Amino acid sequence: MADRRTQDSEQTEEIQNDEIVGRAIRMSLAVFVLLAAGAGAAWWLTRPPAAPVAGPATKTALPAARTGPRIEIPTIPFTDITATAGIDFVHENGAAGEKLLPETMGGGGAFFDFDNDGDQDLLCVNSSLWPWATEKPAQPPTSALYANDGKGRFTNVTAGSGIDVPMYGNGVACGDVENDGDVDLFISCLGANHLFLNQGQGRFLDATATAGVAGDSTAWSTSCGFFDVENDGDLDLFVCNYIQWDRETDKGMNFTLDGQLRAYGRPTDFKGAFPVLYLNDGKGVFTDASVQLGVQVRDPNTGAPLSKSLGVTFPDLNADGRPDIMVANDTVQNLLFLSQPNGGFQEAAASSGVAFDNAGAARGAMGLDFASFRNSAAVGIAIGNFATEMTALYVCQNPGMDMPVFRDEAVSNGIGPVTRTDLKFGVLFLDADLDGRLDLFENNGHLEEDISIVQSSQQYEQPPHLLWNCGPEEETEFVMLGENKTSADFAKRMVGRGAAMADIDADGDLDLMLFASGARPRLLRNDQASGHHWLRVRLQGVSSNRDGIGAQLELLLADGTRQFRTVMPTRSYQSQVELPVTFGLGKNTTIRELKVTWPGGRQQMVVPESVDRQTDVVQAETQAP
């Protein structure tokens, strides 16, 4: 993604948001006329809305004078332990002055338990130097694998692991594709992708050729994920592709910031690319079923691929027991593939209300996540967008319909105005203070090192965001926490890209890994001291896929509160989160019931023995339908 709004970005975002203010102005004018001319009241009440009139853009005022939350905003400090924890990784994007677009997008990774010792290990995905680079180190850069000692200290075990091979990596998917108890890795790349099968003892085998998932050798793959399309017990694979790119085309477009400074190109000037959906035969061999399952959409005007995909996740929005596919696209509409009874998918983003912003315009969408963040049936999809574009929060109040309907509530609930300036990539819902409500995290960073020269409001390095969930009863549902609430370590600026979360030190709260482009990542330990209780749940499927990916959990507390989670490691941007799910319980110490709905719809009831612990649930042979 590149800076396509360097000289006229402020005007563009003003035009996109004038509609909001326009509605308010027209309503005010109508009321004024009603009061001033009673004789014309009936006419004013029944007249159609005036057609929009084109004219010069004016500065749009953001919502003002909000009433703050009536409850105390907590302190949730994070400590940067990257160095002390043993993380010495540095991301290499190959940048050497040519300003080639792929250099801007990298920086992803995963928390996953590769050695089955019960703690969360770490993978940092690396890109590489370009083949034509004049200076190259003796040892080319590779991705890095770190083993966790269970207390949040990591050892670099990359050497000899099998993944220590150079590639222009971007994203990663984690899943047990053979159902043998070991988590495997798929790394998406610029060029051929790679599938590494976990052999145990810290060794991985590159099985890309036999598995059939290398993809096109000229493709640019980004976010990816494993999920069970058919609910047949094995994990299938979805791979996002961004644009059709090559060096010559990129350089030939001669992009500049100010007419002189070379700039990274705009995705609008490149053709889109289809995503790919691979079906697993149960033995780790995959077949491209993209066309037959309906996940490759063409522009109706040109016939070219519509997608320019950067983010993906797999909610079940129509509640049919099969996963759907939500795709975040850059500068073109987002896509929502709803599962169908025949086993295929129907694209329904526009019909569902998640394709565009409230003015009907496409945005520069990066990463995304979904959650029942109100502890109700309502489901929200958060999407991080480009600089000067608000984070989207599409909310469906009544999911489960054949065609779920969403509305972007980012402005009304406080998220939109405070996220507008920065460029958002990795987006995650998490209960940072374990109070029982899901908060929202964003990892941010611009694409252009020199962006401040032409846009004074923008910086290359940007601070991450933590938006605390005050609850739906508050006028401001989400509040951005400042440095005084999160710590200077958290608020430090960086060129942020992907983000992952896990409880790395077994204390119950969720820690954060912030990946970067062309720089060191940051491992932030959550040091909240609220005294709130928690429950972690780890699933093991039997007839379902072994990881329990796609399973839905509903927790009923003694006070009647219900919380909902989905086992879904594919979230954020080019990254994966841990498999266990975390419930914050607040002051609750009694759990009435935990309901697990396995992929396919079978249910299993569990009563956890106590709080402040992890509960492991193995799929029962006989379950309630």
Side-chain angles (χ1 to χ4, degrees), residues 480-539:
M480 180 85 78
L481 299 189
E483 181 178 326
N484 63 322
K485 295 294 184 179
T486 59
S487 77
D489 280 359
F490 179 90
K492 184 179 179 182
R493 292 173 176 267
M494 65 182 296
V495 187
R497 293 297 183 262
M501 62 185 179
D503 179 9
I504 64 171
D505 47 10
D507 63 354
D509 54 35
L510 289 166
D511 311 294
L512 291 166
M513 186 70 181
L514 281 57
F515 299 101
S517 175
R520 296 181 182 276
R522 290 165 57 201
L523 179 59
L524 297 176
R525 185 184 65 210
N526 188 338
D527 287 334
Q528 64 86 27
S530 64
H532 290 154
H533 299 288
W534 49 274
L535 178 73
R536 286 169 57 78
V537 181
R538 172 68 185 263
L539 302 185

Side-chain angles (χ1 to χ4, degrees), residues 13 17 62-63 66 363-364 366 382-393 408-428 439-446 457-458 462-468 478-481:
E13 56 88 7
N17 287 280
L62 292 174
R66 286 185 178 274
R363 291 183 277 201
M366 310 295 177
I383 301 180
N385 292 310
F386 199 80
T388 73
E389 297 174 343
M390 300 178 186
T391 294
L393 183 57
D408 190 350
E409 298 184 3
V411 172
S412 62
N413 65 23
I415 286 179
V418 297
T419 61
R420 188 178 190 179
T421 300
D422 294 331
L423 202 168
K424 290 75 63 179
F425 277 90
V427 175
L428 290 170
D439 312 305
L440 183 65
F441 170 81
E442 298 177 328
N443 196 17
N444 310 318
H446 212 282
S457 65
Q458 293 295 317
Q462 299 179 349
H465 297 160
L466 182 59
L467 294 103
W468 182 66
F478 285 87
V479 172
M480 180 85 78
L481 299 189

